Amino acid sequence: MNFLRGVMGGQSAGPQHTEAETIQKLCDRVASSTLLDDRRNAVRALKSLSKKYRLEVGIQAMEHLIHVLQTDRSDSEIIGYALDTLYNIISNDEEEEVDDVEDENSTRQSEDLGSQFTEIFIKQQENVTLLLSLLEEFDFHVRWPGVKLLTSLLKQLGPQVQQIILVSPMGVSRLMDLLADSREVIRNDGVLLLQALTRSNGAIQKIVAFENAFERLLDIITEEGNSDGGIVVEDCLILLQNLLKNNNSNQNFFKEGSYIQRMKPWFEVGDENSGWSAQKVTNLHLMLQLVRVLVSPTNPPGATSSCQKAMFQCGLLQQLCTILMATGVPADILTETINTVSEVIRGCQVNQDYFASVNAPSNPPRPAIVVLLMSMVNERQPFVLRCAVLYCFQCFLYKNQKGQGEIVSTLLPSTIDATGNSVSAGQLLCGGLFSTDSLSNWCAAVALAHALQENATQKEQLLRVQLATSISNPPVSLLQQCTNILSQGDKIDRRGSKIQTRIGLLMLLCTWLSNCPIAVTHFLHNSSNVPFLTGQIAENLGEEEQLVQGLCALLLGISIYFNDNSLENYMKEKLKQLIEKRIGKENFIEKLGFISKHELYSRASQKPQPNFPSSEYMIFDHEFTKLVKELEGVITKAIYKSSEEDKKEEEVKKTLEQHDNIVTHYKNVIREQDVQLEELKQQISTLKCQNEQLQTAVTQQASQIQQHKDQYNLLKVQLGKDNQHQGSHSDGAQMNGIQPEEMGRLREEIEELKSNQELLQSQLAEKDSLIENLKSSQTSPGTNEATASTRDSEQIAELKQELATLTSQLISQSVEITKLQTEKQELLQKTEAFAKSVPVPGESETVIAAKTTDVEGRLAALLQETKELKNEIKALSEERTAIKEQLDSSNSTIAILQNERNKLEVDITDSKKEQDDLLVLLADQDQKILSLKNKLKELGHPIEEEDELESVDQDDEDEEDDDDGKDQDHI
């Protein structure tokens, strides 16, 4: 308030004095009038004065306006006027034309006024809660000014207002309802309000996202026409960025909700003649940035990877590549699209493979990578576009050994197109590496270094590359050509930075030689390389050349650290001595430290994307800064190490290699054991299957036996019914006389009885064979078990005898040991007594010593023998327990088999009884048949001889059956 009084004091008196009185009267009317119309008119008058006399109205009327909001909620008109007045007081928006003479102090003063009034308003948190409750009113005259007022509060003091809204019940949910308002002006201002609300507040961002904000915003963007929409689409995209940027929870929710798929229609830009308005360019720029937010390298790797896969699966990456290869696309959109595609494919093998297969719509079609590289090495292209292409190439090769191999293979002699019809990626890189444009040299060197990143195979492959510099001279290797250009320095006239070419080549060589002793040997094989490096490091040059000196020191240090001592003239120790003589170790380390102390080094180490204001700042690559950080300390230690320490380190390496060999050996042993275990598991599974099959076979046989029993019982019942039926027919014949039809019926019955008899006989034969099989299967396991049990008993008896003899030997040995121990004690006592009494001559000492050693030797031998006997007893006891377990298991199996045998015997006796019953039935049946035939003879019916023969045969068979039954009974 002191500040406000000071501002008022600074204003001139005069006409404004009357306005202050008017404002005071209006405030009194608002406070004291009982009629609503009077209060409404007073608030309307304050609203009209609030823009021009913002300070006076704010000081005198704010308290009264807040009271109106609390008490007059039933009248929407007065509430609307009050909200508009508060908005005019708090907001810093200058709608009226400002005079050019007005200085910056007035604008700053105006901003201070807004923040001061905002602070007064939110000092009572109930005011913000009241404002939130007013937003629930559907009336346009209340809701719209309320939205504007809350937005202005958030713009003035965002963090404080955010905290009040966060703790108020349902505060964020009330604001989310604005997006569903059917009136576009409220919906659009609601988007602006949510923009201010979600800025830099992760908790509110999460609440807004879980209140279905993504669905509503994407619906609005679709309704407005996607990228062809107006400023509303821009506002929605900015709000989406607020919700997703640096918020892993919301990013995951966006991906899980399948909202990435709904982004694909944004990039359907249509034909090239449709035109690109400024709003469309802005919208597409924001859409591309939103895609980059989801796949940013700063996100957690798992979240980025899942979003990259989702973008490939829904076709979003394909749509972006279409824009990339389209014609008529504005330069800034094309640049941002390249950057977006870069981050969508970075580190994702599936997306990288797809990008490698994309072709430009040219005749003949060329790969997209080749077309992009042509732009990168073309000095006429914009600098920002060339940086974007380099970033795209780096992302394509990031953790992509397959892509690295494809790029390097285009440089190898076997794969170069001899016809020259098509240019390859490798040829473009070489062309850029040796062009007269320093920026092209730097970009090509960094791109080629990324083709070698963490890939020892490609570093060795690149050593095979040969270049034809001129027709007369023989071809030289790529490594040699790089060192030749490096040594020439400023002799070649180049466009651009003087040191950019050398720094690019030095970064390429450092990346190439690190972790590759073969490349180090090739580099040192050229006798002019080491003198050139030492000469560069030893010179005292200006600040511009310090970076080159530092990189030369790094390259020389790499040549020492990764040296395998295969060249006698350039062994590790000799190179260290050379540094100490020509440069000095301290000076060398100081020059090496120039790299990491440089300002551009720290700038490049922050983000993977090469983002520079101009080409002069393009010095370091992000991946190279990681390499420097990794090698700087290692090289420093290697320089200060002595030859003895080097030898010790090599010995340690050898021991580590031996240890690794032992570990690999044991790993192989474990693998073999795993294979054996798998085989044993398979055998167990097969045995289990066989066991199950046998069990099923046993159950099937049991069911078959039960079926035979059931059939047998049915036959018995049928025979009983036939006998009753036959008896009734015979009674009828005797009573009523014999008719020819009855005679035919009797013959049919005789035939049926014969067939039944044959069937019964066949079943009896099957039963007999089954019983025999059961008997044989019963007798064979019994004999095996008996023999097994006799063997086990014999083995146990033998083991018991051996155990008894061993125990007796042990007892005798222990007795002898105790005797020897007592003798030893006596001898020791005697020798001690003798030594105390008389000085012992040399001979007696030797004799006693010989005796004691003899006794000790015998005692040690006996102790060793006792130990061996104990081990044998332990082994025998283990064998005994194992044999006991086997015996117990065999006894249990014998008991089980005995039970089965008893069951089979019971089954045999039952089947014998059933067989006897069947024989009796058959005999009765034959008797009845004979009686029937006799009756037929008596009645005068002729009986054929076959029937008589059959009856005779039947009698013979019955006699044989009786004989068999007697034999069985005898057995």
Side-chain angles (χ1 to χ4, degrees):
M1 293 298 291
N2 292 329
F3 167 75
L4 300 177
R5 289 194 188 96
V7 173
M8 287 184 70
Q11 292 176 347
S12 61
Q16 291 185 358
H17 181 68
T18 57
E19 295 297 338
E21 290 177 353
T22 305
I23 292 167
Q24 182 63 46
K25 288 177 182 178
L26 291 172
C27 290
D28 293 339
R29 190 182 299 174
V30 170
S32 60
S33 293
T34 55
L35 293 175
L36 180 62
D37 288 340
D38 291 343
R39 293 199 301 275
R40 187 189 305 124
N41 292 330
V43 173
R44 185 191 301 139
L46 286 170
K47 175 192 168 186
S48 62
L49 292 169
S50 60
K51 287 184 179 179
K52 189 173 183 181
Y53 303 102
R54 179 180 171 193
L55 177 64
E56 292 83 353
V57 173
I59 291 171
Q60 298 184 45
M62 181 177 282
E63 188 177 349
H64 300 294
L65 293 170
I66 292 169
H67 184 70
V68 167
L69 295 178
Q70 292 170 343
T71 56
D72 292 331
R73 289 191 61 172
S74 59
D75 186 65
S76 60
E77 193 173 354
I78 192 172
I79 296 292
Y81 292 148
L83 290 171
D84 282 331
T85 308
L86 287 169
Y87 172 73
N88 292 337
I89 293 167
I90 290 169
S91 175
N92 291 326
D93 296 338
E94 295 290 338
E95 292 185 1
E96 297 179 359
E97 292 183 2
V98 180
D99 192 5
D100 294 336
V101 182
E102 191 175 4
D103 57 358
E104 293 180 359
N105 292 328
S106 62
T107 55
R108 192 181 299 112
Q109 193 174 358
S110 176
E111 289 174 1
D112 291 339
L113 266 178
S115 61
Q116 289 286 338
F117 282 131
T118 303
E119 191 173 352
I120 294 167
F121 184 83
I122 68 171
K123 193 172 184 180
Q124 298 293 327
Q125 294 188 8
E126 295 82 6
N127 295 339
V128 180
T129 309
L130 174 65
L131 187 57
L132 289 170
S133 65
L134 288 171
L135 289 176
E136 290 182 345
E137 298 288 337
F138 188 74
D139 195 308
F140 181 81
H141 297 289
V142 176
R143 204 170 206 184
W144 188 42
V147 170
K148 292 196 295 181
L149 176 58
L150 189 57
T151 306
S152 183
L153 291 172
L154 285 163
K155 285 180 180 177
Q156 296 292 342
L157 294 174
Q160 293 91 323
V161 180
Q162 284 173 342
Q163 198 60 34
I164 295 168
I165 294 171
L166 190 61
V167 297
S168 67
M170 299 295 290
V172 179
S173 299
R174 288 171 181 169
L175 300 179
M176 284 301 300
D177 293 337
L178 299 173
L179 295 181
D181 201 305
S182 58
R183 294 159 294 193
E184 287 190 4
V185 64
I186 293 177
R187 184 198 68 184
N188 299 344
D189 282 349
V191 173
L192 296 174
L193 169 60
L194 289 170
Q195 276 183 27
L197 179 67
T198 57
R199 193 172 289 119
S200 303
N201 193 309
I204 292 177
Q205 289 167 5
K206 290 177 184 177
I207 296 169
V208 171
F210 283 99
E211 288 283 347
N212 207 18
F214 294 139
E215 185 76 31
R216 294 182 184 180
L217 290 171
L218 291 171
D219 288 341
I220 294 170
I221 291 170
T222 305
E223 289 169 10
E224 295 292 324
N226 294 326
S227 61
D228 293 322
I231 197 169
V232 179
V233 173
E234 180 183 345
D235 293 336
C236 290
L237 290 168
I238 293 169
L239 177 54
L240 282 171
Q241 279 195 17
N242 286 353
L243 295 174
L244 292 172
K245 198 168 187 179
N246 300 322
N247 194 319
N248 299 327
S249 174
N250 283 1
Q251 288 174 11
N252 188 47
F253 181 65
F254 192 83
K255 179 186 70 69
E256 295 293 334
S258 301
Y259 296 119
I260 290 175
Q261 288 81 337
R262 295 187 61 179
M263 297 168 75
K264 184 188 172 186
W266 295 355
F267 304 103
E268 294 173 357
V269 294
D271 57 352
E272 56 187 272
N273 298 321
S274 61
W276 291 81
S277 64
Q279 188 61 56
K280 183 174 182 178
V281 170
T282 304
N283 291 344
L284 259 178
H285 201 76
L286 289 168
M287 288 170 177
L288 291 166
Q289 285 180 353
L290 194 62
V291 174
R292 292 184 67 183
V293 165
L294 295 170
V295 293
S296 173
T298 58
N299 293 344
T304 301
S305 176
S306 58
C307 289
Q308 287 172 333
K309 289 174 183 174
M311 287 176 185
F312 174 74
Q313 289 167 358
C314 73
L316 180 59
L317 175 59
Q318 292 85 326
Q319 199 69 42
L320 291 171
C321 290
T322 304
I323 298 174
L324 198 68
M325 294 291 108
T327 54
V329 180
D332 53 348
I333 292 295
L334 182 61
T335 304
E336 191 62 25
T337 305
I338 294 169
N339 288 325
T340 307
V341 170
S342 306
E343 293 183 353
V344 172
I345 67 173
R346 188 177 190 268
C348 182
Q349 188 66 53
V350 178
N351 294 5
Q352 288 167 339
D353 292 343
Y354 171 76
F355 184 70
S357 67
V358 174
N359 287 324
S362 59
N363 192 16
R366 287 177 175 174
I369 297 169
V370 172
V371 175
L372 290 173
L373 286 177
M374 289 170 74
S375 301
M376 186 185 78
V377 298
N378 186 357
E379 56 186 297
R380 295 179 182 176
Q381 293 292 341
F383 171 69
V384 181
L385 180 65
R386 297 174 76 179
C387 289
V389 173
L390 176 62
Y391 184 47
C392 185
F393 191 72
Q394 290 174 352
C395 291
F396 169 66
L397 297 177
Y398 182 71
K399 292 184 179 178
N400 183 11
Q401 292 194 349
K402 181 183 175 184
Q404 288 174 328
E406 289 173 356
I407 296 298
V408 173
S409 66
T410 58
L411 284 163
L412 298 177
S414 59
T415 56
I416 293 173
D417 187 7
T419 59
N421 292 329
S422 62
V423 65
S424 67
Q427 290 170 341
L428 285 169
L429 290 175
C430 282
L433 198 63
F434 307 130
S435 73
T436 54
D437 177 33
S438 59
L439 182 60
S440 297
N441 300 154
W442 191 91
C443 291
V446 169
L448 200 54
H450 276 262
L452 307 175
Q453 201 79 38
E454 296 179 0
N455 196 331
T457 306
Q458 301 311 323
K459 289 177 183 178
E460 294 175 10
Q461 288 290 321
L462 202 64
L463 294 170
R464 296 170 48 203
V465 176
Q466 299 289 321
L467 301 173
T469 54
S470 62
I471 299 170
S472 58
N473 296 326
V476 295
S477 66
L478 177 61
L479 183 67
Q480 182 62 43
Q481 185 64 15
C482 290
T483 55
N484 289 342
I485 295 171
L486 194 61
S487 60
Q488 288 173 3
D490 296 331
K491 293 177 183 177
I492 300 173
D493 186 20
R494 296 182 187 279
R495 291 180 295 277
S497 174
K498 293 181 180 180
I499 62 168
Q500 204 167 29
T501 301
R502 285 183 289 163
I503 286 175
L505 289 169
L506 284 167
M507 286 196 296
L508 171 60
L509 290 171
C510 289
T511 307
W512 194 347
L513 269 60
S514 62
N515 292 298
C516 187
I518 299 170
V520 172
T521 306
H522 277 72
F523 179 76
L524 296 174
H525 193 72
N526 186 355
S527 57
S528 61
N529 287 339
V530 173
F532 167 73
L533 291 176
T534 53
Q536 285 285 317
I537 300 164
E539 287 182 12
N540 291 321
L541 302 172
E543 290 185 3
E544 289 186 357
E545 297 292 327
Q546 283 183 351
L547 271 181
V548 177
Q549 287 184 314
L551 290 168
C552 288
L554 179 66
L555 184 58
L556 188 57
I558 289 169
S559 303
I560 293 170
Y561 184 71
F562 295 105
N563 193 342
D564 58 358
N565 292 327
S566 57
L567 294 175
E568 189 176 350
N569 294 331
Y570 294 106
M571 296 175 73
K572 284 185 178 181
E573 194 58 35
K574 289 187 178 180
L575 288 172
K576 286 181 191 177
Q577 291 170 3
L578 186 67
I579 289 172
E580 194 167 1
K581 287 178 184 177
R582 295 194 180 178
I583 305 168
K585 289 183 179 180
E586 288 77 11
N587 191 23
F588 179 84
I589 299 303
E590 184 185 355
K591 297 286 175 73
L592 183 63
F594 286 160
I595 303 171
S596 56
K597 290 176 184 175
H598 202 277
E599 180 188 355
L600 295 176
Y601 173 87
S602 58
R603 185 171 182 173
S605 63
Q606 291 172 2
K607 290 183 180 180
Q609 183 182 359
N611 190 9
F612 305 103
S614 63
S615 60
E616 289 79 15
Y617 293 90
M618 209 167 186
I619 299 296
F620 287 111
D621 172 55
H622 177 75
E623 291 297 325
F624 181 73
T625 59
K626 292 181 183 178
L627 184 69
V628 172
K629 191 175 181 181
E630 179 186 342
L631 293 177
E632 188 175 3
V634 174
I635 290 169
T636 305
K637 288 179 184 177
I639 294 297
Y640 282 111
K641 273 181 186 174
S642 61
S643 58
E644 293 178 358
E645 288 176 344
D646 283 335
K647 287 177 183 177
K648 286 180 182 177
E649 191 174 338
E650 287 177 2
E651 288 176 0
V652 169
K653 283 182 181 178
K654 286 179 182 177
T655 53
L656 286 172
E657 287 176 0
Q658 290 175 358
H659 180 264
D660 291 338
N661 292 330
I662 292 166
V663 170
T664 52
H665 171 68
Y666 279 115
K667 282 181 180 178
N668 294 328
V669 170
I670 290 165
R671 284 195 196 96
E672 290 174 0
Q673 288 178 352
D674 288 337
V675 171
Q676 289 175 0
L677 277 170
E678 288 296 327
E679 289 176 355
L680 289 169
K681 284 179 182 177
Q682 289 177 0
Q683 287 179 5
I684 288 165
S685 62
T686 52
L687 288 169
K688 282 182 179 177
C689 293
Q690 288 177 3
N691 187 18
E692 289 174 359
Q693 289 174 0
L694 290 169
Q695 285 180 354
T696 53
V698 168
T699 52
Q700 286 176 1
Q701 287 178 358
S703 64
Q704 286 177 1
I705 290 166
Q706 187 63 37
Q707 286 177 3
H708 288 310
K709 285 182 179 179
D710 294 339
Q711 288 177 3
Y712 176 69
N713 292 327
L714 281 170
L715 286 169
K716 282 169 75 175
V717 172
Q718 283 180 0
L719 281 171
K721 286 182 180 179
D722 289 338
N723 290 333
Q724 291 175 3
H725 188 64
Q726 188 66 34
S728 64
H729 271 285
S730 62
D731 293 340
Q734 287 176 3
M735 287 172 66
N736 300 324
I738 303 298
Q739 298 294 332
E741 291 85 7
E742 291 175 357
M743 296 291 291
R745 199 180 297 149
L746 286 169
R747 281 180 180 175
E748 287 173 1
E749 287 177 1
I750 289 163
E751 291 296 329
E752 285 176 4
L753 287 169
K754 283 180 181 179
S755 61
N756 287 332
Q757 185 181 2
E758 289 172 359
L759 196 139
L760 287 167
Q761 284 176 355
S762 63
Q763 286 180 357
L764 275 171
E766 288 176 2
K767 289 278 183 183
D768 290 334
S769 63
L770 186 64
I771 289 162
E772 291 297 327
N773 290 330
L774 289 169
K775 281 181 180 180
S776 61
S777 63
Q778 181 187 0
T779 53
S780 58
T783 55
N784 292 331
E785 289 158 10
T787 54
S789 60
T790 52
R791 272 185 210 151
D792 292 339
S793 59
E794 288 173 1
Q795 285 181 358
I796 290 162
E798 289 175 1
L799 287 168
K800 283 181 178 178
Q801 289 175 2
E802 287 178 4
L803 189 62
T805 54
L806 287 168
T807 50
S808 63
Q809 286 179 7
L810 183 63
I811 291 163
S812 62
Q813 294 284 347
S814 61
V815 169
E816 192 172 355
I817 287 163
T818 51
K819 284 181 183 179
L820 288 166
Q821 283 178 349
T822 52
E823 286 176 7
K824 181 185 176 183
Q825 291 293 331
E826 289 173 1
L827 284 167
L828 287 169
Q829 289 173 2
K830 285 177 182 179
T831 52
E832 285 173 2
F834 191 71
K836 285 179 182 177
S837 60
V838 184
V840 183
E843 291 180 2
S844 61
E845 287 179 1
T846 54
V847 170
I848 290 163
K851 282 183 180 180
T852 53
T853 52
D854 185 20
V855 171
E856 285 177 355
R858 287 172 63 193
L859 184 61
L862 286 168
L863 286 169
Q864 185 65 28
E865 193 173 355
T866 306
K867 192 175 180 182
E868 290 175 356
L869 286 168
K870 282 182 180 178
N871 291 331
E872 287 180 4
I873 289 163
K874 189 178 179 182
L876 287 168
S877 63
E878 288 176 355
E879 287 181 4
R880 183 184 176 187
T881 54
I883 289 165
K884 273 187 179 179
E885 288 175 358
Q886 290 178 1
L887 185 61
D888 292 337
S889 64
S890 61
N891 287 332
S892 63
T893 52
I894 287 164
I896 292 163
L897 291 168
Q898 191 67 35
N899 291 330
E900 290 181 356
R901 181 182 176 185
N902 294 331
K903 286 179 184 178
L904 288 169
E905 284 180 354
V906 171
D907 290 338
I908 289 164
T909 54
D910 291 340
S911 61
K912 279 182 180 179
K913 286 179 182 179
E914 289 175 359
Q915 190 176 7
D916 293 338
D917 292 337
L918 281 170
L919 291 170
V920 171
L921 286 169
L922 286 170
D924 292 339
Q925 190 177 0
D926 289 336
Q927 197 67 32
K928 284 179 182 179
I929 289 166
L930 285 172
S931 64
L932 285 169
K933 283 183 180 179
N934 292 327
K935 282 180 182 179
L936 287 170
K937 282 181 183 180
E938 289 173 0
L939 290 168
H941 183 73
I943 295 170
E944 295 177 357
E945 293 179 358
E946 291 179 0
D947 295 339
E948 292 177 359
L949 290 169
E950 286 175 3
S951 63
V952 172
D953 295 333
Q954 188 66 37
D955 292 336
D956 294 334
E957 286 174 4
D958 291 341
E959 288 173 3
E960 287 174 3
D961 291 334
D962 291 334
D963 294 334
D964 293 333
K966 288 175 183 178
D967 294 335
Q968 286 177 1
D969 293 334
H970 181 66
I971 291 163

